[in-house]
């Protein structure tokens, strides 16, 4: 089992994750959509300990739009095996599906927090929000990564779905929406 710092990948939002983890009541559900090699997932599990149920959703085959860039490793290695090795004996449930299919595994209003960080195209993020928002409890949170100019599709999808006054930005990159604020 590797520490978060030892795992390759992207995780530049520890304050956002601490806030989101603390927002989940004991025994509640946190769904992380997008894990790659487990850097953010390891942090999530380590800080949540056994207090909440953690579901980690990914295909572990790389995002189609990023296979020739950031996810090129998926063309050469079994990402899921690397992920499992990195995660070790941490407590979580892996769901090896795309985001939309995985959302169907949950009842409406079952999840306390859903964090979206899979495919970064406008169309994909728009669909992720559409399918996951009903799964969030009325007092829950939907959030996601890469809300910045480098991923204009993420910004556009979030801005179109939610009024800017209810979107909080944490760690300069994570968007957060409290479902109770959606009119």
């Amino acid at each position: 089992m590797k520490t978060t710092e030892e795992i390759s990948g992207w995780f530049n939002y520890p304050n956002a994750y601490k806030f989101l983890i603390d927002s989940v009541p004991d025994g509640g559900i946190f769904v992380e959509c997008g894990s790659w090699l487990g850097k953010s997932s390891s942090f999530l599990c380590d800080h949540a300990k056994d207090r909440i149920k953690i579901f980690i959703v990914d295909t572990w085959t790389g995002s189609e739009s990023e296979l020739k860039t950031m996810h090129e490793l998926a063309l050469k290695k079994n990402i899921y095996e690397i992920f499992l090795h990195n995660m070790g004996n941490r407590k979580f449930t892996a769901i090896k599906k795309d985001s939309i299919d995985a959302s169907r595994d949950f009842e409406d209003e079952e999840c306390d927090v859903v964090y979206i960080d899979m495919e970064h195209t406008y169309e994909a993020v728009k669909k992720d929000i559409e399918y996951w928002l009903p799964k969030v409890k009325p007092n829950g949170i939907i959030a996601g990564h890469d809300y910045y100019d480098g991923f204009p599709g993420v910004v556009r999808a979030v801005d179109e779905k939610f009024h800017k006054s209810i979107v909080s930005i944490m760690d300069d990159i994570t968007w957060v929406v409290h479902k109770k604020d959606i009119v």
Side-chain angles (χ1 to χ4, degrees):
M1 180 168 83
K2 291 187 176 183
T3 66
T4 298
E5 295 76 23
E6 293 173 322
I7 299 171
S8 296
W10 310 273
F11 180 64
N12 55 351
Y13 41 97
N15 294 322
Y17 253 34
K18 287 176 187 174
F19 168 78
L20 294 170
I21 293 163
D22 291 345
S23 298
V24 178
D26 290 352
I29 294 175
F30 189 120
V31 179
E32 179 185 55
C33 298
S35 175
W36 191 235
L37 301 178
K39 191 169 187 82
S40 61
S41 305
S42 65
F43 183 92
L44 169 61
C45 292
D46 291 347
H47 280 75
K49 304 199 184 328
D50 293 337
R51 190 181 66 76
I52 63 176
K53 297 172 191 161
I54 297 171
F55 295 87
I56 301 171
V57 175
D58 206 311
T59 62
W60 287 283
T61 57
S63 297
E64 188 175 324
S65 66
E66 298 170 25
L67 278 176
K68 294 182 180 173
T69 57
M70 295 187 297
H71 290 173
E72 187 177 21
L73 183 63
L75 299 172
K76 303 170 188 168
K77 304 264 184 172
N78 185 321
I79 300 303
Y80 187 61
E81 285 182 12
I82 297 170
F83 165 79
L84 290 176
H85 173 76
N86 289 344
M87 293 298 288
N89 63 357
R90 292 177 174 98
K91 187 177 175 185
F92 64 93
T93 300
I95 301 175
K96 195 174 180 183
K97 296 181 179 180
D98 70 39
S99 178
I100 305 310
D101 287 341
S103 72
R104 295 181 180 117
D105 291 350
F106 294 87
E107 299 293 324
D108 285 353
E109 300 184 351
E110 182 179 8
C111 305
D112 295 283
V113 171
V114 172
Y115 194 85
I116 297 170
D117 187 19
M118 291 188 79
E119 183 81 31
H120 293 88
T121 65
Y122 165 75
E123 295 81 10
V125 176
K126 184 176 177 179
K127 278 187 178 182
D128 285 345
I129 293 169
E130 175 186 337
Y131 279 84
W132 281 103
L133 185 58
K135 307 305 177 182
V136 177
K137 290 180 180 177
N139 286 330
I141 296 172
I142 189 165
H145 191 225
D146 295 313
Y147 185 92
Y148 75 106
D149 293 341
F151 286 102
V154 173
V155 174
R156 180 177 164 210
V158 171
D159 287 353
E160 281 183 11
K161 180 62 182 178
F162 306 111
H163 191 276
K164 283 191 179 206
S165 67
I166 67 167
V167 177
S168 300
I169 307 301
M170 299 186 74
D171 289 331
D172 296 324
I173 201 159
T174 293
W175 59 273
V176 177
V177 174
H178 295 265
K179 191 170 181 181
K180 65 180 172 45
D181 294 336
I182 300 170
V183 181

